[in-house]
Amino acid sequence: MDERRRVLIVDDDETIRCFLIDLLADEGYETRAAANGAEGLDILRAWSPDAILLDLLMPVMDGWSFREAQRVLPGAAEVPAIVLSAGRDLGDGFAAFAPAACLAKPFDIVPLLETLERLTCAPVATTAQALSGAVLSADTQLD
């Protein structure tokens, strides 16, 4: 039986999606990724993640609409969402949005991994220690 924890990544920035897929694979997570909320919902209907990394500002379907639909989707309502957003003013309705955590972009990798560990009960592997202090921004170049 596969004990790897599952994470759904919903972000329109391809660089961030690819980085998170690689980072989380190195940490032992199984991932699926979507470029917008509509794609994320399609994945969520067929696959059960332990956590969701969610951008808010995306084309087609934004993170707000995704979260609203996710919270009424049978079997998916309880999946915690970690918001990763460059938006600084999230508005008065953010508390009702009920994220498990919120990390501003550019985000520090170690708190992200620690938050996933806490939410999925998966131990953080050595990458977190090696990347202590590393920050990912939209300008980060990946090899």
Side-chain angles (χ1 to χ4, degrees):
M1 183 171 163
D2 190 356
E3 295 296 323
R4 293 188 309 163
R5 292 304 191 171
R6 299 170 153 204
V7 178
L8 172 59
I9 301 161
V10 185
D11 196 309
D12 63 320
D13 187 315
E14 183 177 12
T15 300
I16 291 175
R17 276 195 324 271
C18 291
F19 174 79
L20 289 170
I21 290 167
D22 290 344
L23 173 69
L24 296 180
D26 288 346
E27 295 294 318
Y29 288 93
E30 179 181 348
T31 62
R32 300 284 187 280
N36 60 64
E39 289 178 11
L41 285 176
D42 287 343
I43 293 169
L44 198 53
R45 288 184 184 100
W47 188 70
S48 299
D50 297 300
I52 299 168
L53 297 178
L54 180 63
D55 186 18
L56 293 180
L57 304 175
M58 297 179 287
V60 182
M61 175 187 266
D62 63 22
W64 299 92
S65 299
F66 169 88
R67 182 76 169 137
E68 184 178 324
Q70 179 228 337
R71 292 178 69 193
V72 297
L73 190 63
E78 302 80 23
V79 178
I82 301 168
V83 171
L84 304 174
S85 184
R88 299 294 185 242
D89 181 17
L90 298 176
D92 296 333
F94 192 67
F97 189 74
C102 182
L103 300 171
K105 290 180 182 174
F107 55 87
D108 188 349
I109 295 166
V110 173
L112 171 65
L113 293 174
E114 290 172 347
T115 301
L116 278 173
E117 174 186 11
R118 178 176 51 82
L119 293 174
T120 66
C121 301
V124 173
T126 57
T127 303
Q129 288 77 28
L131 294 174
S132 182
V135 174
L136 176 72
S137 71
D139 298 327
T140 301
Q141 296 297 313
L142 303 175
D143 294 329

